Amino acid sequence: DTEVTQTPKHLVMGMTNKKSLKCEQHMGHRAMYWYKQKAKKPPELMFVYSYEKLSINESVPSRFSPECPNSSLLNLHLHALQPEDSALYLCASSQSSGQGGFGSPLHFGNGTRLTVT
Amino acid sequence: GQQLNQSPQSMFIQEGEDVSMNCTSSSIFNTWLWYKQDPGEGPVLLIALYKAGELTSNGRLTAQFGITRKDSFLNISASIPSDVGIYFCAGNSNSGYALNFGKGTSLLVTP
């Protein structure tokens, strides 16, 4: 079982809907991440939070809005998405913000399968 | 980010065979990570490597951090059907914090 929990597992939304993806970890990790993954492709980094502050935004469109309410929780708010945004959205965490380096590998959740209609 | 070349792209083998896949980078890395992803699941960390020359095992899996610091390999011995999935290498270079991923190796194992 993964120690990073994501809900919901599946989400279907229309282009005018507003929805949120949620992620929770209880490993005491100080960095949390959102990745987007298309079928048969590697994960692509979207956002990095370090000590609850946004440290990296990989030029993600504003229709994706991240939020880190506390060190254990990470949300991704979705609004006015496009069909091409359909993908697996993965949350990950690591002990430090070195993105896997410096002895702090990333641990992923099982993702939310998002379909935009 | 840095380009990672992962090969082979796919493998189709019989149960019991050994498997080898590798990743190379154009620059020096300080970390190599190997993940396995099953359909509909997130990537699961298999092995983490942090020192050049380091050889680490996890059950039937063995991975090594190349001494040039520009490559890593993952071996799976005596493959079984549940080894099926996509294996990703990932790593950090000395020049930045970004975690770079390879394109993945898709493994199919027939009984």
Side-chain angles (χ1 to χ4, degrees):
Chain A
D1 288 337
T2 179
E3 295 181 82
V4 178
T5 304
Q6 291 187 242
T7 55
K9 189 170 177 62
H10 301 277
L11 179 62
V12 179
M13 60 185 291
M15 289 189 284
T16 59
N17 291 159
K18 286 185 181 181
K19 296 287 185 183
S20 297
L21 310 185
K22 297 184 182 301
C23 175
E24 188 170 5
Q25 59 89 13
H26 292 290
M27 295 179 281
H29 287 175
R30 307 308 300 193
M32 296 186 76
Y33 310 77
W34 281 114
Y35 280 83
K36 174 183 178 180
Q37 187 179 30
K38 291 283 200 178
K40 300 189 186 300
K41 300 289 187 183
E44 298 175 13
L45 183 65
M46 299 175 72
F47 303 104
V48 180
Y49 272 83
S50 178
Y51 291 87
E52 302 167 40
K53 294 192 187 313
L54 182 65
S55 61
I56 294 177
N57 175 342
E58 290 286 331
S59 302
V60 179
S62 61
R63 57 186 185 268
F64 295 91
S65 176
E67 178 196 20
C68 189
N70 60 54
S71 60
S72 299
L73 295 175
L74 187 65
N75 299 323
L76 186 63
H77 303 298
L78 314 172
H79 174 53
L81 295 193
Q82 304 297 312
E84 59 265 28
D85 296 322
S86 299
L88 181 68
Y89 287 84
L90 294 163
C91 174
S93 70
S94 63
Q95 180 64 40
S96 68
S97 59
Q99 288 198 53
F102 310 107
S104 181
L106 265 66
H107 296 266
F108 287 89
N110 279 328
T112 293
R113 174 71 60 190
L114 175 67
T115 303
V116 182
T117 61
Chain B
Q2 300 292 329
Q3 183 101 24
L4 289 189
N5 295 310
Q6 185 172 350
S7 64
Q9 184 176 350
S10 62
M11 301 182 74
F12 187 72
I13 63 170
Q14 284 196 314
E15 183 176 2
E17 290 184 17
D18 296 343
V19 171
S20 185
M21 60 192 77
N22 69 83
C23 245
T24 60
S25 66
S26 56
S27 58
I28 290 174
F29 272 33
N30 59 50
T31 301
W32 284 102
L33 307 172
W34 285 93
Y35 289 90
K36 182 194 177 199
Q37 188 171 22
D38 292 331
E41 307 285 329
V44 174
L45 180 67
L46 299 174
I47 293 178
L49 303 162
Y50 296 106
K51 288 166 50 175
E54 182 180 359
L55 183 71
T56 298
S57 293
N58 178 4
R60 293 176 297 105
L61 278 60
T62 302
Q64 185 160 30
F65 194 137
I67 57 173
T68 66
R69 301 178 68 185
K70 291 185 177 183
D71 63 338
S72 177
F73 71 75
L74 174 71
N75 287 342
I76 305 173
S77 63
S79 59
I80 59 178
S82 61
D83 290 333
V84 166
I86 300 179
Y87 292 80
F88 290 103
C89 64
N92 300 88
S93 72
N94 286 342
S95 62
Y97 283 95
L99 182 63
N100 306 281
F101 280 86
K103 292 186 176 181
T105 295
S106 178
L107 179 64
L108 292 176
V109 180
T110 59

